[in-house]
Amino acid sequence: MTGARLLGLGVYRPARLVTNDEIAQQVDTSDAWIRSRTGIATRRIADAEETTAAMGAAAAEKALAAAGLTADSIDLVIAATCTSPSQIPGVGPQIAYRVGAARAGAFDLNGGCAGFSYAVSTAADMVRGGGVRQVLVVATERLSDYTDWADRSTCILLADGAGATVVGASDTDEIGPAVWGHDGSRHEVIQVPGGDDNLFRMAGQSVFRWAISLVPTVRQICERAGVAPEQLAGIVPHQANLRIVEALATGIGATNAAVARDVVDSGNTSAASIPLGLASLLDAGRIRRGDPVLLFGFGAGLTYCGQVVRCP
Ligand code: ACO
């Protein structure tokens, strides 16, 4: 049977950096409060040209280059996003067009902040099934389009960015089994209600408590992969809040793992936060190609998904 692995990684960070002090000029908050409650120091906010499709395509081109592939070798493009600018059309076909993946299929996947892990797992199983050989997975988000800049409990968190990888056929299987689940009964805890209120709404404390309660689930991801937590070289939880990131890493006993703390510089970029976090560890030389790294996304739905992968 064919295996699947990550062949390359690429990210796009919008040019504009927004500090906590800048946000404190708009709402009643402070740099000290934001840092102590979330860990966030800065975030990137996209300008008008940095659309979900443009950022996604930029990240995708870097992922293709890192994988040593051209776009015509791509069979399928999956865009993981929950901030498409419109309900119709999807972003995936636009990214496929922009990068020149002329013969690829393309679709969107909305797994909230867990979207990247869901898309990687979907792509890996499709590759293993033999129907496709190379899938471009692109997580791209413009949360700023859905941010209520007068709501101090959410505008401090949300940010923009994109990250992409290629999931390709391989003799070795380097993408571990996905562990996923949901609590759809609490779908209202994180939502963009729509209608007159088309902005991001969140019951922050409920989400915080739910996220922390997922420690046994994260441990299960290691068990399913046959990797002990202390063997992990890296751990990249969804970059929602530094306190959640650290609680999950410490909670499973990932004592030797480099922990992604990209939320400090980049804020919460929903589905894009895992590839951005992975890139931050790679760029800093804290993990290397082939290292076992745990990815874990959680958020709107409520839903979660994670897996252990070998670093691209
Ligand atoms: N500055 C100053 N004070 C604030 C701010 C702010 N930016 N935001 C809230 N407060 C105040 C509240 O008004 C409240 O004041 P009160 O006690 O007088 O009523 C007090 O701080 C405590 O508010 P809480 O909401 O309880 O603050 P908490 O410590 O829970 O922090 C936060 C809020 C940062 C949103 C936190 O709950 C959190 O990070 N939750 C998880 C978010 C998350 O993980 N989301 C991920 C999924 S969604 C996605 O990723 C797209």
Side-chain angles (χ1 to χ4, degrees), residues 68-103:
L69 294 169
T70 54
D72 56 10
S73 69
I74 296 299
D75 299 306
L76 178 67
V77 175
I78 305 178
T81 184
C82 60
T83 54
S84 180
S86 57
Q87 187 69 30
I88 299 172
V91 175
Q94 297 175 60
I95 293 173
Y97 171 71
R98 282 173 183 255
V99 302
R103 59 176 196 81

PDB file of all heavy atoms in Angstrom, residues 68-103:
ATOM      1  N   GLY A  68      10.019  20.885  -4.347  1.00  0.00           N
ATOM      2  CA  GLY A  68      10.677  20.635  -5.640  1.00  0.00           C
ATOM      3  C   GLY A  68       9.696  20.185  -6.709  1.00  0.00           C
ATOM      4  O   GLY A  68      10.034  19.408  -7.595  1.00  0.00           O
ATOM      5  N   LEU A  69       8.462  20.710  -6.623  1.00  0.00           N
ATOM      6  CA  LEU A  69       7.407  20.295  -7.559  1.00  0.00           C
ATOM      7  C   LEU A  69       6.907  21.481  -8.373  1.00  0.00           C
ATOM      8  O   LEU A  69       7.001  22.630  -7.934  1.00  0.00           O
ATOM      9  CB  LEU A  69       6.224  19.709  -6.771  1.00  0.00           C
ATOM     10  CG  LEU A  69       6.471  18.408  -6.018  1.00  0.00           C
ATOM     11  CD1 LEU A  69       5.295  18.115  -5.091  1.00  0.00           C
ATOM     12  CD2 LEU A  69       6.687  17.255  -6.997  1.00  0.00           C
ATOM     13  N   THR A  70       6.352  21.198  -9.531  1.00  0.00           N
ATOM     14  CA  THR A  70       5.659  22.235 -10.292  1.00  0.00           C
ATOM     15  C   THR A  70       4.155  22.023 -10.122  1.00  0.00           C
ATOM     16  O   THR A  70       3.703  20.916  -9.802  1.00  0.00           O
ATOM     17  CB  THR A  70       6.035  22.165 -11.784  1.00  0.00           C
ATOM     18  OG1 THR A  70       5.797  20.834 -12.240  1.00  0.00           O
ATOM     19  CG2 THR A  70       7.488  22.545 -11.996  1.00  0.00           C
ATOM     20  N   ALA A  71       3.400  23.086 -10.402  1.00  0.00           N
ATOM     21  CA  ALA A  71       1.958  23.038 -10.142  1.00  0.00           C
ATOM     22  C   ALA A  71       1.253  21.980 -10.993  1.00  0.00           C
ATOM     23  O   ALA A  71       0.213  21.450 -10.590  1.00  0.00           O
ATOM     24  CB  ALA A  71       1.355  24.415 -10.393  1.00  0.00           C
ATOM     25  N   ASP A  72       1.809  21.679 -12.165  1.00  0.00           N
ATOM     26  CA  ASP A  72       1.108  20.705 -13.013  1.00  0.00           C
ATOM     27  C   ASP A  72       1.184  19.275 -12.475  1.00  0.00           C
ATOM     28  O   ASP A  72       0.532  18.373 -12.996  1.00  0.00           O
ATOM     29  CB  ASP A  72       1.580  20.787 -14.475  1.00  0.00           C
ATOM     30  CG  ASP A  72       3.082  20.611 -14.604  1.00  0.00           C
ATOM     31  OD1 ASP A  72       3.710  20.247 -13.591  1.00  0.00           O
ATOM     32  OD2 ASP A  72       3.612  20.845 -15.709  1.00  0.00           O
ATOM     33  N   SER A  73       1.979  19.076 -11.416  1.00  0.00           N
ATOM     34  CA  SER A  73       2.023  17.734 -10.809  1.00  0.00           C
ATOM     35  C   SER A  73       0.963  17.564  -9.722  1.00  0.00           C
ATOM     36  O   SER A  73       0.845  16.492  -9.123  1.00  0.00           O
ATOM     37  CB  SER A  73       3.405  17.486 -10.196  1.00  0.00           C
ATOM     38  OG  SER A  73       3.586  18.317  -9.060  1.00  0.00           O
ATOM     39  N   ILE A  74       0.201  18.625  -9.465  1.00  0.00           N
ATOM     40  CA  ILE A  74      -0.795  18.573  -8.380  1.00  0.00           C
ATOM     41  C   ILE A  74      -2.126  18.017  -8.913  1.00  0.00           C
ATOM     42  O   ILE A  74      -2.665  18.488  -9.912  1.00  0.00           O
ATOM     43  CB  ILE A  74      -1.005  19.987  -7.777  1.00  0.00           C
ATOM     44  CG1 ILE A  74       0.290  20.470  -7.117  1.00  0.00           C
ATOM     45  CG2 ILE A  74      -2.156  20.010  -6.786  1.00  0.00           C
ATOM     46  CD1 ILE A  74       0.796  19.611  -5.970  1.00  0.00           C
ATOM     47  N   ASP A  75      -2.651  17.020  -8.183  1.00  0.00           N
ATOM     48  CA  ASP A  75      -3.914  16.381  -8.583  1.00  0.00           C
ATOM     49  C   ASP A  75      -5.133  17.066  -7.963  1.00  0.00           C
ATOM     50  O   ASP A  75      -6.233  16.997  -8.510  1.00  0.00           O
ATOM     51  CB  ASP A  75      -3.915  14.917  -8.134  1.00  0.00           C
ATOM     52  CG  ASP A  75      -2.789  14.139  -8.784  1.00  0.00           C
ATOM     53  OD1 ASP A  75      -2.697  14.154 -10.023  1.00  0.00           O
ATOM     54  OD2 ASP A  75      -1.980  13.541  -8.045  1.00  0.00           O
ATOM     55  N   LEU A  76      -4.910  17.681  -6.803  1.00  0.00           N
ATOM     56  CA  LEU A  76      -6.053  18.216  -6.057  1.00  0.00           C
ATOM     57  C   LEU A  76      -5.581  19.353  -5.155  1.00  0.00           C
ATOM     58  O   LEU A  76      -4.491  19.274  -4.584  1.00  0.00           O
ATOM     59  CB  LEU A  76      -6.653  17.095  -5.190  1.00  0.00           C
ATOM     60  CG  LEU A  76      -7.830  17.437  -4.288  1.00  0.00           C
ATOM     61  CD1 LEU A  76      -9.072  17.780  -5.111  1.00  0.00           C
ATOM     62  CD2 LEU A  76      -8.143  16.267  -3.350  1.00  0.00           C
ATOM     63  N   VAL A  77      -6.397  20.393  -5.039  1.00  0.00           N
ATOM     64  CA  VAL A  77      -6.124  21.494  -4.099  1.00  0.00           C
ATOM     65  C   VAL A  77      -7.249  21.516  -3.067  1.00  0.00           C
ATOM     66  O   VAL A  77      -8.430  21.561  -3.434  1.00  0.00           O
ATOM     67  CB  VAL A  77      -6.062  22.850  -4.831  1.00  0.00           C
ATOM     68  CG1 VAL A  77      -5.890  23.994  -3.827  1.00  0.00           C
ATOM     69  CG2 VAL A  77      -4.932  22.861  -5.859  1.00  0.00           C
ATOM     70  N   ILE A  78      -6.867  21.455  -1.795  1.00  0.00           N
ATOM     71  CA  ILE A  78      -7.861  21.599  -0.717  1.00  0.00           C
ATOM     72  C   ILE A  78      -7.547  22.885   0.023  1.00  0.00           C
ATOM     73  O   ILE A  78      -6.444  23.049   0.564  1.00  0.00           O
ATOM     74  CB  ILE A  78      -7.816  20.415   0.281  1.00  0.00           C
ATOM     75  CG1 ILE A  78      -7.982  19.073  -0.432  1.00  0.00           C
ATOM     76  CG2 ILE A  78      -8.905  20.594   1.344  1.00  0.00           C
ATOM     77  CD1 ILE A  78      -7.886  17.851   0.501  1.00  0.00           C
ATOM     78  N   ALA A  79      -8.490  23.814   0.038  1.00  0.00           N
ATOM     79  CA  ALA A  79      -8.315  25.061   0.787  1.00  0.00           C
ATOM     80  C   ALA A  79      -9.037  24.927   2.124  1.00  0.00           C
ATOM     81  O   ALA A  79     -10.265  24.791   2.158  1.00  0.00           O
ATOM     82  CB  ALA A  79      -8.867  26.242   0.006  1.00  0.00           C
ATOM     83  N   ALA A  80      -8.281  24.928   3.203  1.00  0.00           N
ATOM     84  CA  ALA A  80      -8.870  24.899   4.548  1.00  0.00           C
ATOM     85  C   ALA A  80      -9.072  26.340   4.984  1.00  0.00           C
ATOM     86  O   ALA A  80      -8.101  27.063   5.205  1.00  0.00           O
ATOM     87  CB  ALA A  80      -7.940  24.170   5.505  1.00  0.00           C
ATOM     88  N   THR A  81     -10.311  26.751   5.065  1.00  0.00           N
ATOM     89  CA  THR A  81     -10.596  28.128   5.471  1.00  0.00           C
ATOM     90  C   THR A  81     -11.991  28.223   6.079  1.00  0.00           C
ATOM     91  O   THR A  81     -12.904  27.504   5.669  1.00  0.00           O
ATOM     92  CB  THR A  81     -10.465  29.109   4.272  1.00  0.00           C
ATOM     93  OG1 THR A  81     -10.660  30.445   4.739  1.00  0.00           O
ATOM     94  CG2 THR A  81     -11.453  28.809   3.156  1.00  0.00           C
ATOM     95  N   CYS A  82     -12.125  29.106   7.061  1.00  0.00           N
ATOM     96  CA  CYS A  82     -13.461  29.419   7.585  1.00  0.00           C
ATOM     97  C   CYS A  82     -13.746  30.903   7.399  1.00  0.00           C
ATOM     98  O   CYS A  82     -14.712  31.427   7.945  1.00  0.00           O
ATOM     99  CB  CYS A  82     -13.603  28.975   9.045  1.00  0.00           C
ATOM    100  SG  CYS A  82     -12.453  29.711  10.196  1.00  0.00           S
ATOM    101  N   THR A  83     -12.876  31.587   6.618  1.00  0.00           N
ATOM    102  CA  THR A  83     -13.080  33.023   6.404  1.00  0.00           C
ATOM    103  C   THR A  83     -13.078  33.369   4.918  1.00  0.00           C
ATOM    104  O   THR A  83     -12.542  34.394   4.498  1.00  0.00           O
ATOM    105  CB  THR A  83     -11.995  33.846   7.137  1.00  0.00           C
ATOM    106  OG1 THR A  83     -10.703  33.379   6.739  1.00  0.00           O
ATOM    107  CG2 THR A  83     -12.139  33.741   8.634  1.00  0.00           C
ATOM    108  N   SER A  84     -13.669  32.484   4.128  1.00  0.00           N
ATOM    109  CA  SER A  84     -13.866  32.799   2.720  1.00  0.00           C
ATOM    110  C   SER A  84     -14.626  34.138   2.634  1.00  0.00           C
ATOM    111  O   SER A  84     -15.536  34.381   3.425  1.00  0.00           O
ATOM    112  CB  SER A  84     -14.694  31.683   2.080  1.00  0.00           C
ATOM    113  OG  SER A  84     -14.910  31.943   0.723  1.00  0.00           O
ATOM    114  N   PRO A  85     -14.249  35.011   1.704  1.00  0.00           N
ATOM    115  CA  PRO A  85     -14.921  36.313   1.650  1.00  0.00           C
ATOM    116  C   PRO A  85     -16.398  36.211   1.299  1.00  0.00           C
ATOM    117  O   PRO A  85     -17.183  37.102   1.607  1.00  0.00           O
ATOM    118  CB  PRO A  85     -14.140  37.075   0.576  1.00  0.00           C
ATOM    119  CG  PRO A  85     -13.409  36.054  -0.212  1.00  0.00           C
ATOM    120  CD  PRO A  85     -13.167  34.901   0.700  1.00  0.00           C
ATOM    121  N   SER A  86     -16.768  35.117   0.652  1.00  0.00           N
ATOM    122  CA  SER A  86     -18.185  34.941   0.323  1.00  0.00           C
ATOM    123  C   SER A  86     -18.532  33.464   0.454  1.00  0.00           C
ATOM    124  O   SER A  86     -17.652  32.608   0.413  1.00  0.00           O
ATOM    125  CB  SER A  86     -18.463  35.402  -1.109  1.00  0.00           C
ATOM    126  OG  SER A  86     -17.626  34.685  -1.998  1.00  0.00           O
ATOM    127  N   GLN A  87     -19.805  33.220   0.622  1.00  0.00           N
ATOM    128  CA  GLN A  87     -20.262  31.822   0.722  1.00  0.00           C
ATOM    129  C   GLN A  87     -19.982  31.074  -0.579  1.00  0.00           C
ATOM    130  O   GLN A  87     -19.608  29.904  -0.573  1.00  0.00           O
ATOM    131  CB  GLN A  87     -21.762  31.818   1.033  1.00  0.00           C
ATOM    132  CG  GLN A  87     -22.356  30.466   1.334  1.00  0.00           C
ATOM    133  CD  GLN A  87     -21.861  29.893   2.661  1.00  0.00           C
ATOM    134  OE1 GLN A  87     -21.551  30.639   3.575  1.00  0.00           O
ATOM    135  NE2 GLN A  87     -21.760  28.581   2.736  1.00  0.00           N
ATOM    136  N   ILE A  88     -20.209  31.747  -1.696  1.00  0.00           N
ATOM    137  CA  ILE A  88     -19.982  31.192  -3.027  1.00  0.00           C
ATOM    138  C   ILE A  88     -19.212  32.228  -3.826  1.00  0.00           C
ATOM    139  O   ILE A  88     -19.624  33.402  -3.842  1.00  0.00           O
ATOM    140  CB  ILE A  88     -21.320  30.900  -3.750  1.00  0.00           C
ATOM    141  CG1 ILE A  88     -22.135  29.868  -2.950  1.00  0.00           C
ATOM    142  CG2 ILE A  88     -21.091  30.396  -5.168  1.00  0.00           C
ATOM    143  CD1 ILE A  88     -23.559  29.671  -3.484  1.00  0.00           C
ATOM    144  N   PRO A  89     -18.110  31.925  -4.513  1.00  0.00           N
ATOM    145  CA  PRO A  89     -17.519  30.600  -4.692  1.00  0.00           C
ATOM    146  C   PRO A  89     -16.515  30.275  -3.586  1.00  0.00           C
ATOM    147  O   PRO A  89     -16.178  31.137  -2.773  1.00  0.00           O
ATOM    148  CB  PRO A  89     -16.780  30.779  -6.025  1.00  0.00           C
ATOM    149  CG  PRO A  89     -16.291  32.200  -5.960  1.00  0.00           C
ATOM    150  CD  PRO A  89     -17.380  32.963  -5.263  1.00  0.00           C
ATOM    151  N   GLY A  90     -15.993  29.048  -3.631  1.00  0.00           N
ATOM    152  CA  GLY A  90     -14.937  28.640  -2.721  1.00  0.00           C
ATOM    153  C   GLY A  90     -13.607  29.267  -3.114  1.00  0.00           C
ATOM    154  O   GLY A  90     -13.430  29.780  -4.228  1.00  0.00           O
ATOM    155  N   VAL A  91     -12.659  29.186  -2.180  1.00  0.00           N
ATOM    156  CA  VAL A  91     -11.322  29.761  -2.388  1.00  0.00           C
ATOM    157  C   VAL A  91     -10.402  28.765  -3.116  1.00  0.00           C
ATOM    158  O   VAL A  91      -9.505  29.159  -3.861  1.00  0.00           O
ATOM    159  CB  VAL A  91     -10.717  30.151  -1.014  1.00  0.00           C
ATOM    160  CG1 VAL A  91      -9.290  30.638  -1.160  1.00  0.00           C
ATOM    161  CG2 VAL A  91     -11.570  31.221  -0.348  1.00  0.00           C
ATOM    162  N   GLY A  92     -10.631  27.469  -2.912  1.00  0.00           N
ATOM    163  CA  GLY A  92      -9.746  26.440  -3.469  1.00  0.00           C
ATOM    164  C   GLY A  92      -9.531  26.569  -4.976  1.00  0.00           C
ATOM    165  O   GLY A  92      -8.379  26.572  -5.442  1.00  0.00           O
ATOM    166  N   PRO A  93     -10.609  26.701  -5.773  1.00  0.00           N
ATOM    167  CA  PRO A  93     -10.406  26.832  -7.218  1.00  0.00           C
ATOM    168  C   PRO A  93      -9.613  28.090  -7.584  1.00  0.00           C
ATOM    169  O   PRO A  93      -8.830  28.069  -8.541  1.00  0.00           O
ATOM    170  CB  PRO A  93     -11.838  26.904  -7.768  1.00  0.00           C
ATOM    171  CG  PRO A  93     -12.678  26.226  -6.739  1.00  0.00           C
ATOM    172  CD  PRO A  93     -12.036  26.543  -5.424  1.00  0.00           C
ATOM    173  N   GLN A  94      -9.790  29.172  -6.830  1.00  0.00           N
ATOM    174  CA  GLN A  94      -9.036  30.400  -7.126  1.00  0.00           C
ATOM    175  C   GLN A  94      -7.546  30.201  -6.850  1.00  0.00           C
ATOM    176  O   GLN A  94      -6.695  30.687  -7.595  1.00  0.00           O
ATOM    177  CB  GLN A  94      -9.570  31.557  -6.277  1.00  0.00           C
ATOM    178  CG  GLN A  94     -11.018  31.900  -6.579  1.00  0.00           C
ATOM    179  CD  GLN A  94     -11.536  32.962  -5.617  1.00  0.00           C
ATOM    180  OE1 GLN A  94     -11.011  34.052  -5.551  1.00  0.00           O
ATOM    181  NE2 GLN A  94     -12.569  32.627  -4.862  1.00  0.00           N
ATOM    182  N   ILE A  95      -7.240  29.487  -5.793  1.00  0.00           N
ATOM    183  CA  ILE A  95      -5.826  29.207  -5.486  1.00  0.00           C
ATOM    184  C   ILE A  95      -5.245  28.295  -6.572  1.00  0.00           C
ATOM    185  O   ILE A  95      -4.136  28.525  -7.078  1.00  0.00           O
ATOM    186  CB  ILE A  95      -5.686  28.568  -4.088  1.00  0.00           C
ATOM    187  CG1 ILE A  95      -6.079  29.585  -3.013  1.00  0.00           C
ATOM    188  CG2 ILE A  95      -4.253  28.066  -3.865  1.00  0.00           C
ATOM    189  CD1 ILE A  95      -6.142  29.024  -1.612  1.00  0.00           C
ATOM    190  N   ALA A  96      -5.993  27.277  -6.954  1.00  0.00           N
ATOM    191  CA  ALA A  96      -5.526  26.353  -8.004  1.00  0.00           C
ATOM    192  C   ALA A  96      -5.225  27.122  -9.285  1.00  0.00           C
ATOM    193  O   ALA A  96      -4.206  26.911  -9.949  1.00  0.00           O
ATOM    194  CB  ALA A  96      -6.577  25.273  -8.254  1.00  0.00           C
ATOM    195  N   TYR A  97      -6.114  28.060  -9.631  1.00  0.00           N
ATOM    196  CA  TYR A  97      -5.923  28.872 -10.836  1.00  0.00           C
ATOM    197  C   TYR A  97      -4.690  29.751 -10.700  1.00  0.00           C
ATOM    198  O   TYR A  97      -3.848  29.819 -11.600  1.00  0.00           O
ATOM    199  CB  TYR A  97      -7.170  29.730 -11.077  1.00  0.00           C
ATOM    200  CG  TYR A  97      -6.994  30.743 -12.168  1.00  0.00           C
ATOM    201  CD1 TYR A  97      -6.912  30.346 -13.499  1.00  0.00           C
ATOM    202  CD2 TYR A  97      -6.879  32.097 -11.870  1.00  0.00           C
ATOM    203  CE1 TYR A  97      -6.718  31.288 -14.503  1.00  0.00           C
ATOM    204  CE2 TYR A  97      -6.696  33.033 -12.864  1.00  0.00           C
ATOM    205  CZ  TYR A  97      -6.611  32.624 -14.179  1.00  0.00           C
ATOM    206  OH  TYR A  97      -6.411  33.543 -15.165  1.00  0.00           O
ATOM    207  N   ARG A  98      -4.567  30.422  -9.565  1.00  0.00           N
ATOM    208  CA  ARG A  98      -3.442  31.345  -9.379  1.00  0.00           C
ATOM    209  C   ARG A  98      -2.096  30.637  -9.442  1.00  0.00           C
ATOM    210  O   ARG A  98      -1.122  31.205  -9.949  1.00  0.00           O
ATOM    211  CB  ARG A  98      -3.568  32.065  -8.021  1.00  0.00           C
ATOM    212  CG  ARG A  98      -4.577  33.203  -8.018  1.00  0.00           C
ATOM    213  CD  ARG A  98      -4.739  33.724  -6.596  1.00  0.00           C
ATOM    214  NE  ARG A  98      -5.740  34.777  -6.520  1.00  0.00           N
ATOM    215  CZ  ARG A  98      -5.467  36.079  -6.381  1.00  0.00           C
ATOM    216  NH1 ARG A  98      -4.224  36.494  -6.290  1.00  0.00           N
ATOM    217  NH2 ARG A  98      -6.435  36.962  -6.309  1.00  0.00           N
ATOM    218  N   VAL A  99      -1.998  29.435  -8.885  1.00  0.00           N
ATOM    219  CA  VAL A  99      -0.688  28.755  -8.892  1.00  0.00           C
ATOM    220  C   VAL A  99      -0.463  27.977 -10.189  1.00  0.00           C
ATOM    221  O   VAL A  99       0.629  27.472 -10.420  1.00  0.00           O
ATOM    222  CB  VAL A  99      -0.490  27.822  -7.671  1.00  0.00           C
ATOM    223  CG1 VAL A  99      -0.629  28.591  -6.371  1.00  0.00           C
ATOM    224  CG2 VAL A  99      -1.431  26.620  -7.705  1.00  0.00           C
ATOM    225  N   GLY A 100      -1.495  27.850 -11.023  1.00  0.00           N
ATOM    226  CA  GLY A 100      -1.347  27.139 -12.284  1.00  0.00           C
ATOM    227  C   GLY A 100      -1.488  25.628 -12.169  1.00  0.00           C
ATOM    228  O   GLY A 100      -0.932  24.888 -12.979  1.00  0.00           O
ATOM    229  N   ALA A 101      -2.248  25.185 -11.165  1.00  0.00           N
ATOM    230  CA  ALA A 101      -2.509  23.746 -11.017  1.00  0.00           C
ATOM    231  C   ALA A 101      -3.662  23.385 -11.963  1.00  0.00           C
ATOM    232  O   ALA A 101      -4.793  23.115 -11.546  1.00  0.00           O
ATOM    233  CB  ALA A 101      -2.848  23.413  -9.568  1.00  0.00           C
ATOM    234  N   ALA A 102      -3.330  23.388 -13.267  1.00  0.00           N
ATOM    235  CA  ALA A 102      -4.355  23.395 -14.316  1.00  0.00           C
ATOM    236  C   ALA A 102      -5.219  22.146 -14.352  1.00  0.00           C
ATOM    237  O   ALA A 102      -6.386  22.204 -14.720  1.00  0.00           O
ATOM    238  CB  ALA A 102      -3.684  23.605 -15.668  1.00  0.00           C
ATOM    239  N   ARG A 103      -4.649  20.993 -13.975  1.00  0.00           N
ATOM    240  CA  ARG A 103      -5.442  19.763 -14.098  1.00  0.00           C
ATOM    241  C   ARG A 103      -5.958  19.261 -12.737  1.00  0.00           C
ATOM    242  O   ARG A 103      -6.482  18.158 -12.630  1.00  0.00           O
ATOM    243  CB  ARG A 103      -4.625  18.674 -14.796  1.00  0.00           C
ATOM    244  CG  ARG A 103      -3.351  18.327 -14.089  1.00  0.00           C
ATOM    245  CD  ARG A 103      -2.589  17.178 -14.742  1.00  0.00           C
ATOM    246  NE  ARG A 103      -1.594  16.666 -13.808  1.00  0.00           N
ATOM    247  CZ  ARG A 103      -1.861  15.822 -12.827  1.00  0.00           C
ATOM    248  NH1 ARG A 103      -3.070  15.367 -12.655  1.00  0.00           N
ATOM    249  NH2 ARG A 103      -0.909  15.419 -12.011  1.00  0.00           N
TER     250      ARG A 103
END
